[in-house]
Amino acid sequence: MSINGQSSAKREMVLIWIMAFSAFMVYTSMYGIRKPYTAGAYTGLTQFGISYKVVLVTAQVIGYMISKFIGIRFIAEIDRTKRKQYILQLIGVGWVSLFLFAIVPFEYKFICMFLNGLPLGMIWGLVFSYLEGRKMTDFLGSFLSITFILSSGLAKTVGSLILKIPGINEFWMPFVTGGIFIFPLLLFSYILDQSPAPNEIDKIHRTERKSMDKAERKKFLSEFGFLIVPAVITYALLTIIRDFSEDFSADLWREAGKSNNSFVFTQSSLITSFLVIGTLSLFYKIQNNFKAFIGLHILVIAGFILSIISTILFSYHIINIFTWMVAATTGLYMGYVAKNCLYYERMIASFKIKGNVGFVMYIADAFGYLGTVLVLLLKEFVTLEMHWESFFKWVFYIASSLGIVLIIITLSGFIKKFNRIANE
């Protein structure tokens, strides 16, 4: 390689790292607005005859779910010149809703949490649109995925520390915590917006990405709808487990007697983050898109198996609760991140679809969060005498077993379709 070629490669890697870190910081800032309230216990509070924390979680998830359904069209048709503007406006609305959460009367606070979730569901599609369609998207997406794991724990850790400041209660804590993340949001959204568009080499590796009008969206669904259904159900299962792990892990740690350790959220999240990104970032080395697509199916199955095995080991007291939660959530996050950041990226490239990841991903996200809402309500209204430890065990067992079956069905269908197209 020539000196100029080496210099160009170094500049490219510097650019990739800047994009990766900037996207990570923007999405982490969103988590700083979305998740800190889950660090609160809201002990003894109820509304509508159910636990107040469940009311808040459900209200926010309903808003987030509606945002995902709106995003199916919004993200597919997005004007890419306005992405930074949308990111700042939407996260700003989410932060203002936390201020209202602190000051409005108790009986209306859940509405503020609904308003918090409503704009924030758009942020993933806006951020990922900067990263998709590149030969390094697997690495960029994997790096961004750390936010799903680490940033939730970070937001709860910061929230827990803020609660220890005299005069700040559980209602003011989310707004104060969110304020800490505003400066990095402003800085890194600006840097991310300077990212160059995918070049010709990127387009050769991954196909060109573009907005999709109504006719193009209908064509996509008519061609792939049958195969998308089990894939969406699998993602819904992973979304449900991820949301439960994020929103109620504080209650599990409390039940286990670890409530005094504010850093337990970040400790477990850090370990999971490094394991997940270390595995998924290697997929950029697989240049054949369909081979990588098959590999992602296998990885999701392996993640489900890890979750089941670690839960069995914990049930027989072979491993402790910390090791269990790290292993089980690592397995499930392996599947969640693969499906969220890389799965549809490689699918679009494999089948040379003229479109964007955001459209199909928001279909999966919308139904995933619908599933989360239904399970939240089922848990609260169906009388089950169950501790958090037992509840997490059964969620891991049932979702993982069903997920393995669904992934096998999806994998078989895509292989048949790919071979049929290749033989035409």
Side-chain angles (χ1 to χ4, degrees), residues 15-25 27 80 83 123-145 147-148 192-193 195-198 202 206 209 341-342 345 357:
L15 173 64
I16 290 297
W17 275 104
I18 291 173
M19 289 179 62
F21 188 71
S22 298
F24 167 82
M25 289 303 299
Y27 211 67
R80 299 197 166 201
R83 289 176 293 188
I123 303 302
W124 182 90
L126 291 167
V127 172
F128 193 76
S129 69
Y130 286 100
L131 312 181
E132 70 170 305
R134 303 172 189 271
K135 66 178 182 179
M136 293 293 289
T137 292
D138 291 349
F139 171 76
L140 291 166
S142 298
F143 200 94
L144 175 63
S145 73
T147 57
F148 301 146
L192 183 62
D193 198 52
S195 303
D202 291 322
R206 296 297 174 88
R209 302 307 161 88
C341 286
L342 309 184
E345 166 70 23
V357 171

Side-chain angles (χ1 to χ4, degrees), residues 43 99 114 123 135 154 226 267 272 301 422:
T43 305
F99 176 73
F114 167 81
I123 303 302
K135 66 178 182 179
L154 176 64
F226 178 74
Q267 288 169 353
T272 300
I301 292 173

Side-chain angles (χ1 to χ4, degrees), residues 5 8 32 36 67 71 76 83 97 127 130 135 144 173-174 183 203 212-213 260 270 322 371 375:
S8 177
S67 185
R83 289 176 293 188
S97 72
V127 172
Y130 286 100
K135 66 178 182 179
L144 175 63
M173 174 269 289
F183 176 73
K203 292 174 184 178
M212 300 173 73
D213 60 26
N260 290 327
L270 270 173
F322 184 84
V375 172

Side-chain angles (χ1 to χ4, degrees), residues 41-227:
Y42 306 98
T43 305
L45 298 177
T46 60
Q47 192 172 20
F48 310 121
I50 59 178
S51 162
Y52 186 60
K53 185 170 183 179
V54 171
V55 170
L56 296 181
V57 170
T58 304
Q60 190 194 53
V61 171
I62 289 173
Y64 207 74
M65 175 195 69
I66 293 172
S67 185
K68 295 295 184 181
F69 276 105
I70 296 171
I72 293 173
R73 176 178 176 180
F74 178 76
I75 298 298
E77 298 180 348
I78 189 71
D79 179 351
R80 299 197 166 201
T81 64
K82 298 181 179 178
R83 289 176 293 188
K84 179 171 75 78
Q85 171 187 329
Y86 287 133
I87 288 171
L88 295 178
Q89 289 175 346
L90 291 168
I91 295 180
V93 170
W95 190 39
V96 170
S97 72
L98 295 181
F99 176 73
L100 297 175
F101 177 70
I103 65 172
V104 303
F106 176 81
E107 57 267 30
Y108 302 118
K109 289 183 184 295
F110 77 97
I111 298 175
C112 301
M113 202 53 66
F114 167 81
L115 295 174
N116 176 265
L118 193 58
L120 298 182
M122 303 286 187
I123 303 302
W124 182 90
L126 291 167
V127 172
F128 193 76
S129 69
Y130 286 100
L131 312 181
E132 70 170 305
R134 303 172 189 271
K135 66 178 182 179
M136 293 293 289
T137 292
D138 291 349
F139 171 76
L140 291 166
S142 298
F143 200 94
L144 175 63
S145 73
I146 300 177
T147 57
F148 301 146
I149 311 161
L150 177 60
S151 300
S152 178
L154 176 64
K156 284 180 285 205
T157 293
V158 175
S160 297
L161 293 172
I162 293 294
L163 278 174
K164 295 178 180 180
I165 299 175
I168 297 181
N169 60 27
E170 291 173 315
F171 298 111
W172 274 103
M173 174 269 289
F175 176 72
V176 175
T177 302
I180 295 172
F181 292 88
I182 293 300
F183 176 73
L185 168 67
L186 294 172
L187 174 62
F188 288 101
S189 61
Y190 171 79
I191 296 173
L192 183 62
D193 198 52
Q194 307 307 305
S195 303
N199 58 33
E200 292 304 315
I201 295 175
D202 291 322
K203 292 174 184 178
I204 292 171
H205 277 82
R206 296 297 174 88
T207 70
E208 185 177 2
R209 302 307 161 88
K210 66 185 194 66
S211 300
M212 300 173 73
D213 60 26
K214 185 176 181 180
E216 290 168 323
R217 297 197 299 271
K218 287 181 68 175
K219 180 182 177 182
F220 174 87
L221 291 176
S222 67
E223 187 175 354
F224 293 96
F226 178 74
L227 291 172

Side-chain angles (χ1 to χ4, degrees), residues 323-384:
T323 305
W324 167 50
M325 285 301 291
V326 169
T329 54
T330 295
L332 294 167
Y333 266 111
M334 203 78 75
Y336 180 82
V337 172
K339 296 281 285 184
N340 190 288
C341 286
L342 309 184
Y343 186 85
Y344 295 110
E345 166 70 23
R346 289 292 194 161
M347 175 193 166
I348 287 175
S350 295
F351 293 95
K352 302 187 185 307
I353 299 165
K354 298 295 183 182
N356 58 70
V357 171
F359 167 63
V360 64
M361 192 62 244
Y362 267 68
I363 294 174
D365 254 344
F367 286 98
Y369 283 101
L370 176 60
T372 299
V373 171
L374 294 176
V375 172
L376 276 169
L377 296 175
L378 182 68
K379 175 192 170 293
E380 200 62 28
F381 288 110
V382 175
T383 304
L384 291 173

